[in-house]
Amino acid sequence: MLALKITKLKLFTKQLFLQDLFDGFQFMEGRFVTFGTFTMDGRLNSDYYGEEEWEEIGSRPYSMWRQMRPFCFQIIKGNKLPLSFQLVLRKDKAELEKQLSPADWNFSEVESFLLNIRYKNGAITCTTGVSLRQFTMDRTPEQEWDRYVREFLHKNAIDYTE
């Protein structure tokens, strides 16, 4: 697990809420505190979709961030900053398998690669996490995910401190 404090908040929030940088992530949940508290669950409801639409979605259990981003932005935009917000984003395993060198470890034991984004008291912290199907002493999945997130942030000119 890695906790990174974002140093340029305005740039980061612009990339998060107004640009497509994080659109490849799935949205698991969010909580926004403004004049009220808004909680959102990103789990997809199969009953909402027609059969063809659901087949297109495939086995993905959560909404994509690109679908949720406009709704989340509507909650926080305005003349006042939100008091806080928290997002839990999930990266698709199939996309990461090519990038994370799983030859050294059992990729199938990983349930989810997570990125928690928390804004509170004027600071944004990104925390990584890996959800495993079963306990293991091998920390390689977490180390690989932490490396990936650092590279992702660096490549996109997002400054942070550890």
Side-chain angles (χ1 to χ4, degrees):
M1 186 173 85
L2 182 67
L4 306 172
K5 186 174 180 180
I6 303 301
T7 56
K8 295 180 181 172
L9 276 59
K10 193 171 186 174
L11 175 64
F12 181 81
T13 54
K14 180 181 178 183
Q15 290 174 311
L16 181 63
F17 290 107
L18 297 174
Q19 297 175 350
D20 64 359
L21 181 61
F22 291 88
D23 283 1
F25 285 83
Q26 295 175 24
F27 173 84
M28 292 182 71
E29 61 186 59
R31 183 173 190 268
F32 302 87
V33 181
T34 59
F35 64 89
T37 300
F38 302 88
T39 304
M40 301 171 82
D41 181 358
R43 189 172 298 278
L44 292 170
N45 294 312
S46 60
D47 293 340
Y48 178 78
Y49 297 97
E51 200 171 308
E52 246 179 62
E53 292 172 305
W54 191 246
E55 282 179 27
E56 245 179 72
I57 290 170
S59 61
R60 179 171 44 92
Y62 296 99
S63 304
M64 295 302 294
W65 173 242
R66 70 178 156 267
Q67 296 169 292
M68 300 301 292
R69 184 167 39 94
F71 298 105
C72 295
F73 179 65
Q74 282 292 17
I75 293 170
I76 64 164
K77 81 174 188 177
N79 294 329
K80 293 183 175 185
L81 292 173
L83 296 173
S84 67
F85 68 78
Q86 183 171 353
L87 301 170
V88 180
L89 302 179
R90 176 182 193 254
K91 195 67 171 169
D92 184 57
K93 276 179 52 176
E95 183 181 327
L96 287 174
E97 192 165 12
K98 300 167 191 136
Q99 301 171 23
L100 289 186
S101 333
D104 302 339
W105 46 281
N106 190 349
F107 197 76
S108 65
E109 289 180 3
V110 176
E111 178 67 34
S112 300
F113 293 98
L114 306 169
L115 182 63
N116 296 290
I117 301 170
R118 182 174 186 215
Y119 169 77
K120 189 169 185 168
N121 299 326
I124 294 179
T125 305
C126 293
T127 308
T128 61
V130 174
S131 173
L132 299 170
R133 296 183 192 278
Q134 62 187 22
F135 177 77
T136 179
M137 294 294 288
D138 184 8
R139 296 291 157 236
T140 308
E142 289 98 338
Q143 293 164 353
E144 286 290 308
W145 177 234
D146 291 349
R147 181 187 56 76
Y148 173 88
V149 170
R150 281 187 188 106
E151 287 175 10
F152 173 81
L153 295 175
H154 180 71
K155 182 177 110 182
N156 291 290
I158 298 172
D159 295 334
Y160 60 86
T161 58
E162 290 191 39

